[in-house]
Amino acid sequence: MCRHKKRAIAFFSDVFGLSYLRNYVGEIMFFERLSRMMETISLDKGTVEEDAKSPAHPPKLPFISWNLRRGNPQSNVVQDPRLEAVVPLLLRRCQASRVESVEQKMKSELESLLQTPSASLLAHIRTTFDNAARVAPAEQWSYVYDGYADYDSQLNTHSEIQQIQELRVKLDVTEDDDERRTLEEDMTGKILWLCWCGICAEVDQLLPMVLDCIQREGFNWALYNISHLVTSICAAPNNDQAHLQRIMLDAGVGISKHRLFLSARTTKNAQGTNYSPSTSDQSR
């Protein structure tokens, strides 16, 4: 992978706080996949070399659920490599969840995550851990994961990338500063929304696996402790991300600042064209 792509991945990973998020849900690989997808799209030809209907969901990697192999505890588990770091880390933290130094470390991570657009996921992680903690060990098979709802799970990734590139082309040939600002905001919103949907799709895939591993080790009670810590962090309001959140969510529901700008300009020009001086004006 070339240097500028590595820098871009590092930048967006930092924007969304993935170095903190991975300690609770696993390694998010969306930006690595996005980099490869970018190479398959040719804006000039207007074609997509891969399946244009490919959703934001990551490809499923091999994983055998404990629930499916409960009858044979000695069988080899083929585990998703995105869990290689998070599962041992969470198990250690579960064992020492009441140790002050461990709790302070998690609190620092969660507070840092609260300063990113991924802060919206904290409430989902809290609820998910809390629900899993309430399941008795003998009834773990009955636990049902509730997916995160605040993203587009069927986002057409390739189409979204093309739209971002088209906005970039428009921006390059636009001279009016006000119009440029609306194009920049639309671009930013679409980029953030694309990233958000990709991240959330992986979280929805990884969290049930993480919980499965924790539950089978008998640390349900510790999940509640972590959930309680997340609750205390989320209680402190943070408005630093409000502007980015608004831009991102506007893009998610199809609001275009550029289209609104053009519509307002057209209306203003039409009013100017249709202006007819009054009799009093003409007499002056």
Side-chain angles (χ1 to χ4, degrees), residues 24 110 122-123 125-126 225-235:
Y24 300 89
L110 294 168
L122 285 177
I125 293 171
R126 174 193 63 202
N225 292 341
I226 297 175
S227 170
H228 181 72
L229 182 60
V230 176
T231 300
S232 67
I233 298 300
C234 291

Side-chain angles (χ1 to χ4, degrees), residues 19-90:
S19 61
Y20 309 112
L21 187 62
R22 69 184 179 192
N23 292 338
Y24 300 89
V25 303
E27 196 75 34
I28 301 294
M29 304 298 295
F30 171 73
F31 293 114
E32 285 79 358
R33 294 187 300 104
L34 180 62
S35 175
R36 293 192 294 271
M37 280 188 279
M38 292 288 289
E39 296 174 357
T40 71
I41 296 179
S42 172
L43 181 62
D44 293 335
K45 295 181 180 179
T47 60
V48 180
E49 297 175 9
E50 292 185 5
D51 182 7
K53 295 183 179 180
S54 176
H57 284 286
K60 291 186 177 181
L61 301 178
F63 182 86
I64 300 177
S65 171
W66 173 258
N67 294 329
L68 295 179
R69 64 181 185 86
R70 190 178 294 277
N72 182 13
Q74 301 302 318
S75 62
N76 294 324
V77 179
V78 181
Q79 186 166 291
D80 191 318
R82 293 172 295 175
L83 304 182
E84 288 178 356
V86 66
V87 171
L89 174 63
L90 275 179

